Each structure stands twice: as structure tokens, then as C-alpha cells.
Amino acid sequence: MTTVRRAVLTLPAAPLGPDNPLPALRAPAGAGAYAVDPLTLAELPRDMARGIGRDPLRSLLPAPVRDGYGRERTPADLDTIVIENARLRVTVLPALGGRIHSLHHKPTGRELLYRNPVFQPAAFALNGAWFSGGVEWNIGATGHTTLSCSPLHAAVVRAPDGGPMLRLWEWERLRDLPFQVDLWLPEDSDFLYVGVRIRNPHGRTAPVYWWSNIAVPEDRRVLAPADAAWHHGYERGLARVPVPVTEDGTDRTYPLNSTHAADWFYDLPEGQRRWIAALDTDGTGLVQTSTDPLRGRKLFVWGSGRGGRRWQEWLTEPGTPGYAEIQAGLARTQLEHLELAGGAEFSWLEAYGPLAADPATALGDDWTAARADVERSLSGALPRAAVDAAYTAWREGAADRAPEEVLAAGSGWGALEVLRGGYELPGTPFPESTLGPEQEPWRELLRTGVLPPPAKRAATDAAPVAPTSVPPSSLASVPLIAPLVSSPWRDMLETAPADPTTEYQLGIAQWHAGDRAQAVRSWERGLKEATTRWPLLYCLAVADREDGHPERAAEHFTEAFADHEATEGGAEASTGPEGAEADADGDGARALVAAALGREALDALLAVDRPDRARALWHRLPASARRRGAFRLLDVRLLLAEGRPDEARAVFDTGFEVADLSEGAEILGELWERITDELLPDAYEFRMRPS
């Protein structure tokens, strides 16, 4: 019989660390990697072009940037939920985005996914921390979800066949939408069923993005029912190319045949059954199929070049076999977003399981025959009608069922939204009991019409908080309430009594809405009365930089750093022989803010060619910050700006790692080329496109 149980998985893991304490006012760092140039956009099908241009993110608000992780791994116990029947064992990580870590086929002893042997965060999610492997659920906007390393609510629910089913659910904050993922194994089934529902409880239309991202070993052939694909590389192009062999004569259905990282979005014909498979040399492997609303299918490859190999090492253990990704989404490409009307929903069913095809045919040169053989094998193992029937049974008989046993808790943001909006969401309860310290100031605003000032929040801040949030000691005297930016909360802020805390939060909400001029006015008003000025100065600095005033931005960033230093004692942790110990033993909160502000200020000063002031600020940073890889990189830039290339080269030779190096970042190669014409060492080669 099928069972659902808690378990523990022990892996070498790098701790997530604290979130960045500064509000995420800017668009995701990697957003440019997904852009399409205007000339290409004009030549695309009209509906695709509309989807690509629909509601791009102006910022990451209200989500925080998650950049507090490092690269030192020690054994750690991760909570898991295991779903198991006689044929499959599925391991889920509820505290890490509900990721499926493993899909083990018991009769053959095969692992159907790429299972990462470590937990190593890297800067691939929209807001930073992400890790590779398994199956992840990407909702929100183009890229990896902000929930990649966040807990989801989890509970046991009755499946359509009466057995146990695992439900995962949360409130996705970028698009302000609740969603659920239901996973169940019918008795003696070789396939895991996954029912997904995204609801829009608001009166307005919302942009929607979803891609199920499946990691598989890269020494596979990837097959999908298409003769063409939309190719997207890191050169910002999007071109329709033939499948499997492209114009240069290369069979791109084998991931290692590509030199550079790239996306291949398969153009599935209308009416065609939706599926994608990754098969080994013996014709066996994983297949994913779905009901028709999950339209898109994709192959992502790292490629065989030095940059792709380095990224593979970066995300796991050196010497570990590499992986590729096969994916399934609501649109044809990941650059598009769909529209979901107010009060409506998107729902579909996916199935994951083993597939055995004839290797001579499925891996042969005749693409039509290969596809047909895989589809015949899939039809024999799981007919299309069975998937459609399973969806109907789930949606009509199980999707709204109430949870029976809670297994894990997510955030309190959904409870706050339900409290404000009075939404009825059968099947996905967001009870008030899940509200925590982050939501408390906003619940008071909702109840009284007044956002509590810092002094009034001190008692709340003493309550326990999640280990990945800002330590309470940094919140007691500064307006670092986690922001809320949707229009109902903005309206409440506009009518609340004006004080520096309210003006700070109102400006953030106005900035998110695109009213930048009004946001700046709100921050300037708050600055006149504020005793702690650095949060407002930071916001004004970002506005200056985004509006094309780099000199003024540098002044505001530097002033924000100095104000924090003066009001919070930020310099104490960096002075004296005990500086490093102080960072670790009590001044961590101050050092966290000082490092975040200092990194911004140094970057801004270097952008306007002020190495003298940048060096003076460098010496005032916490000692722990100066040892981090991101600041070693800033030191290289600073040394080059000071005309000291030999010392910059010495930093490279000593060795450093930038834990939060962004996907597609080319800064290491650019700096190296300013120092020498030697080949960039493999340790620093992260470039993902041709030179």
C-alpha cells in the first residue's frame, strides 16, 4: 500500500545564512540573460511576443535577496517526506521549495533523476539561493522561483483513489498568488502523479509563469514530439531551429554535443500528446507527460565547454557526473507569461515514471521513428486517456479536500493575505496560527490603521525567527519591516499616520508600482524626521543609480554606510585585534548590514572612478566581510582602479570564490583580461557563451 511518512536525509550542506537586510528594489541580476533584442522580438509570432513582453519584473519586491550562504559544507540533516508504494520511492524536501530530491524505481534499482549528493546554494534563483538536482516547481516569473530554498506548507490529504497524498502549498509573493502541488502514487503504479493548481483570488488579471524543472544525467538522449525548437542562448537571441540536427549538422538532442549553455524549447504541434523523455544508451530512463494545459517542453544544457564544466563543479562535488534539465511549462518558452483572470485558476496533471524503448530505434538517426517508438512505449506504460482521467478524478474529487495531517509549515504571508482579503481557498488553508514576527507589524496596520514604529516593535522582535531571516538585534532600532507592496497594502500605508517608518515602507510600495518619483518624495519626507537615516538613504541611492545619476548614487550609498556606522556601531566589528571574533560572537547583525551597505557603496564609488574614497571605505568594513569572496573581487577591481595590477594578480593567484556569483556573470574573465593575456584559470571560468 502507498505510504507517506517523514524521514531525514543527511548530506554535506552549506548553510543558507541570513537574508540580505536591504530591500530588493532592483530587477533580478540575471534578468538580462532572458531578454530578447527588439529586432528578434518583432519577428516572433504575435502571441509569443505578447507573452514575452507581459508584466516584466520591475524589482524582486516583496521577496528578499538570499545571499548569506557560503561554500563550506558540513554534514547536515534535512527533513524529508517520503511517498512510497511497491514500485516507486519519492523523496521530497518540504523546507526547500518542495523539491523532489529522488525518484527511485524499486524493481530496477534505478534512480530516475539526477540526485545531487550535496546541498550547495548558488545565485541562480530570482532572489539568489538555489540548488541543483531533482524536480523543482518554478512559479512567479522567468527564472528559478524565489521559493527555491524556502519552506512550503505540507500535509497528508486523501488521494482520488482513497490512499494518502502529499499536498504542498504556499502564497507566491512576486505575483501574489496561492498555488498547490499534490503528489500521489496509486497502488502498484510505476508513475508518480502530480496535480498542480494556481489560483487568482483577486479581482484583477495576474501574469502567471510555471515550469517544472527536472534534472537528469547529461549522458542521455532527450526526446520530445517536435520537429523544431526555439533556441535561446546567452546572446539574447531566440530562433526557430530544426530538431534533432541543427543547421551546423549537430544532433542537439544529446546534451554533451553542445559546447555552450543553451535552452531548446520544443515546438509541440497542437493536439500532440505532451511528453519529454531522457533515455540512456540501453533505451531506458525517465519520461514526463501531462495533460494538455502544460504546453511547453524544454531541454537545458550546460555544454561541454570550460564554463559549463565549471558551473557543474560549482553546483555539486568535483568529479560528480553532470546533469541536464528537461522541463515542462505553461507557455512555449520560459520568456513568456500567461494571463490568469481574476477568480480563475490554471490546473493540470503531470506524471513521472520509468520508460523502456527500443534503443536501436529511440537512439537512432531516424528522428520520426525514434519519437514514434518512445510514444508507443509511453502509451503502453501510461495511456493518454489514463492521464486525463486521473486529472479529472483529482480536480473534481480531491483538489479541494482539506488536509488531514500537517507535516510541515510554510510562511505566514498567505495567512496575512487571507486575513486581509477574506479569501476562500478550499484545500489550501492559511490559518492565523502560521502568522509570525514578520507579519505582526502588518497585522497591526490592518487592525489599527497604524504601522507600529520601531520602539513599539521591540517586544515582537524578541520572538523566535527563522534562522535565515535577519537577526532580531538588527531590527529593534531601524525600520526593517519585511515589505509588502500590493495595492491594498499601499493604500493602507497612504492613509496611515506619516512617520519615517511608514514613509520608508510607502516609498518601497510606490517604487514597486512604478511610481518612482512619488517613491523618492516619500523617502525624502521620511528622511527629514528620521533618527536612523541609512535605510532611507539606501533607497534614495538605488533610485539615483536607476535614474542615471551615478555620482549622486555614490554619495547616498556612502552616506548610508556612514550613518549605519555612526548609529549602529558598524565600525566596531572591524577595528582592533578582536574584530573577527566580534563579528561571530554578537556583532553579526551589525556586520551583516555594514557588509551589505559597504558592498553597494564600493561598487558605486568604483563606477564613478573614486578609488581613493573606495579604499578608505574598504578599511572601515567588518573584518569578516573583507575575507569573503565577493569582497576579494571588489578588492581586485579597486586595485586595478588604483593602478596596481600586480597586486590584483596576486589576489587571483592566492585564490578566492565568490559564493553568490550570478548565472552568466563574466566579471572574472573581464578583470583577468585587464591583468594579463594568459588563459583564464579553470577555477575562474564561468562564461556561458562564446567569446
Side-chain angles (χ1 to χ4, degrees), residues 77 227 455 502 655:
D77 292 338
D227 292 314
T502 304

Side-chain angles (χ1 to χ4, degrees), residues 92-380:
V92 179
L93 302 172
L96 295 169
R99 179 85 57 104
I100 297 178
H101 174 72
S102 170
L103 186 60
H104 178 79
H105 187 232
K106 296 160 77 171
T108 61
R110 291 179 64 111
E111 173 59 50
L112 300 179
L113 305 173
Y114 167 76
R115 183 175 57 192
N116 198 332
V118 305
F119 172 69
Q120 176 56 65
F124 278 62
L126 287 164
N127 63 335
W130 173 87
F131 64 107
S132 65
V135 183
E136 61 175 315
W137 318 112
N138 287 308
I139 182 173
T142 300
H144 296 281
T145 176
T146 61
L147 296 169
S148 292
C149 292
S150 296
L152 303 189
H153 299 281
V156 176
V157 185
R158 286 298 103 191
D161 61 0
M165 175 171 72
L166 172 63
R167 173 163 299 157
L168 306 167
W169 73 99
E170 245 304 354
W171 197 283
E172 200 285 314
R173 300 181 68 203
L174 288 184
R175 302 305 193 183
D176 205 19
L177 300 175
F179 71 99
Q180 72 187 77
V181 180
D182 288 355
L183 304 95
W184 76 100
L185 288 170
E187 189 173 353
D188 293 326
S189 172
D190 277 317
F191 283 83
L192 170 70
Y193 287 167
V194 181
V196 183
R197 174 165 62 171
I198 304 170
R199 287 186 274 200
N200 181 3
H202 311 295
R204 54 174 172 78
T205 298
V208 170
Y209 171 94
W210 181 280
W211 283 79
S212 301
N213 185 355
I214 309 146
V216 294
E218 65 183 352
D219 57 346
R220 300 288 189 268
R221 189 184 203 188
V222 174
L223 299 100
D227 292 314
W230 293 93
H231 170 248
H232 179 256
Y234 286 79
E235 302 86 5
R236 297 179 63 194
L238 187 65
R240 197 170 187 270
V241 298
V243 172
V245 178
T246 52
E247 289 89 342
D248 63 359
T250 303
D251 187 338
R252 302 292 181 176
T253 61
Y254 290 90
L256 287 172
N257 282 354
S258 294
T259 304
H260 301 284
D263 302 322
W264 310 88
F265 299 103
Y266 295 111
D267 198 358
L268 275 61
E270 290 295 333
Q272 170 65 52
R273 184 178 185 181
R274 316 301 197 194
W275 60 266
I276 189 168
L279 303 183
D280 205 342
T281 54
D282 62 359
T284 63
L286 172 77
V287 66
Q288 187 270 3
T289 187
S290 71
T291 50
D292 288 351
L294 202 66
R295 174 184 186 181
R297 293 297 185 276
K298 170 194 165 181
L299 166 64
F300 167 77
V301 301
W302 284 108
S304 60
R306 290 205 307 149
R309 294 301 91 196
R310 183 66 179 115
W311 276 117
Q312 294 265 29
E313 292 177 353
W314 188 254
L315 296 170
T316 183
E317 293 279 13
T320 302
Y323 75 96
E325 294 170 357
I326 58 175
Q327 304 187 22
L330 285 173
R332 276 178 292 188
T333 73
Q334 284 179 327
L335 286 69
E336 302 167 73
H337 294 74
L338 304 184
E339 287 186 329
L340 181 60
E345 69 173 48
F346 288 138
S347 62
W348 63 91
L349 185 127
E350 306 179 40
Y352 296 78
L355 187 77
D358 173 33
T361 305
L363 307 181
D365 293 335
D366 187 335
W367 179 244
T368 300
R371 287 170 34 196
D373 185 69
V374 171
E375 189 146 358
R376 276 194 300 271
S377 298
L378 174 59
S379 295

Side-chain angles (χ1 to χ4, degrees), residues 495-577:
T495 58
D499 61 25
T501 299
T502 304
E503 296 286 12
Y504 168 73
Q505 291 290 344
L506 176 58
I508 291 174
Q510 291 165 332
W511 179 270
H512 174 264
D515 193 349
R516 293 188 171 186
Q518 190 58 55
V520 168
R521 284 192 285 271
S522 294
W523 293 326
E524 289 175 340
R525 284 196 304 269
L527 198 60
K528 293 177 182 178
E529 304 295 331
T531 54
T532 300
R533 296 162 51 85
W534 66 262
L536 294 151
L537 289 167
Y538 165 77
C539 293
L540 290 169
V542 173
D544 289 333
R545 181 153 59 187
E546 295 294 297
D547 290 340
H549 304 293
E551 293 279 358
R552 199 163 66 201
E555 291 299 324
H556 273 138
F557 278 126
T558 305
E559 191 178 352
F561 180 85
D563 181 76
H564 176 265
E565 191 176 47
T567 59
E568 299 294 319
E572 293 177 11
S574 64
T575 58

